[in-house]
Amino acid sequence: RTATAKKTPSLAVWVGVCFVFSGATGLIYEVLWARMLGLVFGATTIAVSTVLAAFMGGLALGSALAGRIAPRLEKAVAAYGWMEIGIAVYALLVPLLFRVVDDLYAVVWQQLQPGFLTFTLLRFALSCLLLLVPTTLMGATLPVLSAALLRSEDHDANSVARLYACNLAGAILGTLVAGFVLLPAVGVRATILIAATVNILIGLLALRIQRHAQHQARSVVGKSFLIDRPAEAD
């Protein structure tokens, strides 16, 4: 006879909550970076195209890399938590990095005086490269959390689909909040700080969820041992 674990709020529920806010912050950053790159390029179309290219490329790269690594992660939820914290730290650095790159653009223009097309392509490439790190981390989150869910006892055939739906709902929420609430009310800097704070809180929550899951697993193993031991003695 073996002991059964007492039911607590599902891992899928906690992970879903985290992923809603994760999707929201991701789209908040997309709106912010498009606004900031508009100052660099002086043309909204090019700025939006740059951000979309960086996002799609980073998401694809992160998903591809994490798809190979995630099945081997022993603490997938904790890895997701550190990714969220990494995204927050990088997001806080992006305004400074944009200023550095903007100064670099000025030096290139003064020293080399490239044509408009060459200069635009250079700015596009450097901006995409600048945003590759956070977008790659964002792309890695879904495979990592999917691996965590597929190892949990309460997962089913729709677990990953529900996880993706949570992220999509968060993305819609993030776009609306960034464009209609945060940016008009508090501006770019405060919006970055708010989004980064949310990322850090998500990361800390994920680390706590991982510790709680490990504690539960050890507790179940210990109870099972105590119950089974008398039976073995008989």
Side-chain angles (χ1 to χ4, degrees), residues 9-18 149 154 166:
S10 168
L11 175 67
V13 172
W14 287 111
V15 166
V17 170
C18 288
L149 281 183
D154 55 354
C166 287

Side-chain angles (χ1 to χ4, degrees), residues 55-144:
F55 253 79
M56 295 301 104
L59 292 178
L61 179 61
S63 181
L65 293 175
R68 296 184 178 186
I69 298 171
R72 299 195 294 270
L73 292 175
E74 294 183 4
K75 300 178 180 179
V77 179
Y80 163 74
W82 286 115
M83 288 177 189
E84 290 292 327
I85 293 172
I87 292 168
V89 172
Y90 199 93
L92 292 171
L93 292 175
V94 163
L96 174 62
L97 295 175
F98 275 174
R99 284 196 293 272
V100 171
V101 171
D102 202 26
D103 292 339
L104 179 61
Y105 293 152
V107 172
V108 170
W109 180 260
Q110 292 170 358
Q111 298 297 323
L112 302 178
Q113 295 184 351
F116 174 76
L117 179 59
T118 302
F119 191 57
T120 300
L121 290 175
L122 176 64
R123 288 188 295 179
F124 178 83
L126 286 177
S127 298
C128 285
L129 187 62
L130 187 67
L131 297 178
L132 191 62
V133 172
T135 54
T136 299
L137 289 175
M138 291 176 191
T141 55
L142 179 61
V144 169

